[in-house]
Amino acid sequence: MFFVDTIDVAGLGNRSYLAGGTRTAVVVDPPRDIDRVIAAAARRGVRISHVVETHVHNDYVTGGLELTRLVGAAYLVPAAARVSYGHIPVHDGDRHEIDTAAGLSLRALATPGHTPHHTSYALEENGTAVAVFSGGSLLIGTVGRPDLVEPRLTEDLARAQHASAHRLAAELPDGAAVLPTHGFGSFCSASQATGGATTIGVEKTSNEALTLDVDTFVTRLLAGLDDVPAYYTHMGPANAAGPAPVDLGPLTVADAEEIAARLAAGEWVVDLRSRVAFAEGHVAGSFNFEAEGQLATYLAWLIPWGKPVTLLAESAGQLAAAQRELVRVGIDRPAAAATGEPSRWARAGEVLASFPRATFADLAEHSGNGLVVLDVRRDSERAAGHVEGSVHIPLHTLHGRLHEVPEGQVWVHCAGGMRAAIAASLLDAAGRDVVAVDDGFDSAGRAGLTVRTR
């Protein structure tokens, strides 16, 4: 008998896995906050004997090195990956026993494409593959993007992705579960697919890598690639060098005077509360990144790398969760933090800032009054439809392009409201008169606004 437990990292759209028998287990692509992994093993009553990486990750900091140090496991890393720490290099075809009593072993399968050195691992029970940890190779309905390593390699890696998907489909039984690391909202996925479980057999009938010829597949794959979060630039080198242990200890408490001083110094003060609460009242100059949204992705994407950040949270629990999420992308120790109500974060006599929220119906009612409609969605989203006359500045570029926003009251929207709230906070901090459209974009046309596709 064997088990596979999923360790979900929802904010980044990733999954790690703990798999084993009755005594020992392997961890695949662990997140940086490894206490979750250790707790999962303790619940199963198993010893972690192996930790494996499918590739050097570009979208998060791995916990693999520290986990192996703590539990004494063997650390398996693809042989062609260039890393600066001790490990067991894995070559195509290598086998490693995971739980002998349960007949469990891992077989390495070279699956280049997401990276040149990418390796998948088939979990075999008594010689039969029951699952494959496919990392950034074969995902649910798609594949991992091939453009994160080097632009000149992108087309070759896309072709390699096609070949790797076909290798997995040819060598593994239809019933084998496909267990990818990426693809649940991760920007490492070439496209966004739905569903939480799949098998080799299902992918043979639904995954374009397995249903299209290589030239058609590559053309479609490359045409569909979206923007790459800026912080990815820092993840690969951190993972290759060997990440430092995580410190999730208490942060320095900031009072109103310190918050004001940090704002005056040009540091980032980030309010983690809901966009509704932020719009109603916040410290002037602070930015709103909701703790319940894709906090790590968007804060790490927008903030100048290395810029000190102070976190403002409504509770200690919200602060702790945010701190945990941020270490996964290398924002290790925020400069300071505060919890409670915004009235406690502003100095005596200071008035809290605020701005209105609206719907697309409200926008339709006020259009034509000289207001500016700002669309902060990505290029691919806008290409599918946009409000006629709107200005387009993707959120991840807005902080450096605020001067491009025309004069007048700015009504800012995205696809659902979260990114519009971030953008509204950036504009508000810059002194602009802003309205945050907190509504789904599919409401725009129904509200009477003209939606164009070109």
Side-chain angles (χ1 to χ4, degrees):
M1 292 293 293
F2 70 95
F3 71 87
V4 177
D5 289 342
T6 300
I7 300 166
D8 193 30
V9 189
L12 295 177
N14 287 326
R15 290 179 177 176
S16 297
Y17 301 94
L18 173 74
T22 57
R23 299 178 181 177
T24 51
V26 59
V27 177
V28 181
D29 291 342
R32 196 173 182 204
D33 49 329
I34 57 174
D35 56 334
R36 300 178 63 210
V37 179
I38 294 171
R43 286 192 294 270
R44 285 286 185 178
V46 294
R47 177 178 64 85
I48 298 172
S49 60
H50 294 75
V51 176
V52 306
E53 304 282 6
T54 56
H55 60 294
V56 175
H57 305 282
N58 284 292
D59 62 329
Y60 70 94
V61 180
T62 180
L65 181 60
E66 182 62 12
L67 182 59
T68 58
R69 288 172 177 168
L70 286 178
V71 303
Y75 195 18
L76 309 183
V77 179
R82 297 180 179 179
V83 296
S84 302
Y85 44 81
H87 64 282
I88 297 174
V90 177
H91 300 85
D92 185 45
D94 285 356
R95 291 179 182 272
H96 293 269
E97 297 296 322
I98 301 304
D99 191 313
T100 303
L104 292 179
S105 61
L106 280 184
R107 176 165 63 95
L109 296 158
T111 48
H114 186 49
T115 65
H117 62 266
H118 191 283
T119 301
S120 299
Y121 299 88
L123 179 66
E124 297 182 341
E125 183 181 38
N126 298 318
T128 298
V130 293
V132 59
F133 300 107
S134 55
S137 184
L138 188 66
L139 311 186
I140 299 177
T142 185
V143 295
R145 59 193 300 167
D147 61 329
L148 301 180
V149 178
E150 157 63 53
R152 291 172 295 182
L153 297 178
T154 297
E155 182 172 347
D156 288 344
L157 288 177
R159 292 182 178 277
Q161 276 291 52
H162 187 271
S164 292
H166 279 263
R167 181 188 183 187
L168 293 177
E171 295 190 19
L172 300 176
D174 284 356
V178 178
L179 303 173
T181 300
H182 307 309
F184 311 96
S186 168
F187 281 87
C188 270
S189 176
S191 62
Q192 297 308 312
T194 59
T198 191
T199 63
I200 289 292
V202 170
E203 292 306 305
K204 282 182 177 180
T205 65
S206 60
N207 196 308
E208 288 192 346
L210 297 173
T211 60
L212 298 176
D213 66 85
V214 62
D215 290 332
T216 304
F217 167 76
V218 169
T219 298
R220 290 190 183 181
L221 179 66
L222 299 186
L225 293 175
D226 214 330
D227 301 302
V228 179
Y231 72 91
Y232 277 27
T233 302
H234 307 281
M235 299 298 97
N239 287 324
V246 168
D247 180 1
L248 293 175
L251 300 172
T252 301
V253 177
D255 59 15
E257 290 295 335
E258 182 173 354
I259 291 170
R262 290 188 177 280
L263 283 168
E267 298 181 8
W268 278 38
V269 174
V270 172
D271 191 324
L272 302 168
R273 295 175 303 141
S274 75
R275 55 184 182 260
V276 175
F278 183 87
E280 290 176 349
H282 55 270
V283 176
S286 61
F287 302 142
N288 181 216
F289 289 79
E290 291 181 301
E292 284 69 34
Q294 291 179 280
L295 169 66
T297 295
Y298 282 102
L299 180 54
W301 195 341
L302 270 66
I303 191 171
W305 200 251
K307 174 81 73 173
V309 59
T310 294
L311 301 178
L312 307 179
E314 63 185 7
S315 68
Q318 185 180 69
L319 177 61
Q323 187 179 353
R324 176 180 291 272
E325 189 167 350
L326 292 177
V327 299
R328 295 171 181 159
V329 293
I331 301 178
D332 283 14
R333 296 292 296 172
T339 59
E341 297 293 329
S343 58
R344 297 171 52 186
W345 305 333
R347 293 178 294 187
E350 284 185 336
V351 177
L352 294 176
S354 64
F355 52 77
R357 296 164 52 250
T359 65
F360 279 107
D362 297 323
L363 176 58
E365 183 179 338
H366 289 82
S367 62
N369 294 339
L371 55 83
V372 177
V373 180
L374 176 62
D375 180 351
V376 296
R377 296 174 301 157
R378 296 187 297 277
D379 291 344
S380 59
E381 296 173 284
R382 185 171 172 86
H386 63 271
V387 174
E388 184 178 46
S390 60
V391 176
H392 182 225
I393 303 178
L395 173 62
H396 60 275
T397 68
L398 180 60
H399 191 249
R401 299 174 61 187
L402 290 171
H403 62 281
E404 297 180 28
V405 181
E407 293 299 318
Q409 186 181 61
V410 183
W411 289 56
V412 58
H413 80 84
C414 60
M418 181 193 73
R419 286 174 293 171
I422 297 172
S425 73
L426 298 177
L427 289 159
D428 177 71
R432 297 299 301 270
D433 180 8
V434 64
V435 177
V437 178
D438 194 356
D439 199 359
F441 185 73
D442 56 0
S443 299
R446 295 196 299 269
L449 294 166
T450 302
V451 176
R452 301 290 189 190
T453 57
R454 42 173 29 185

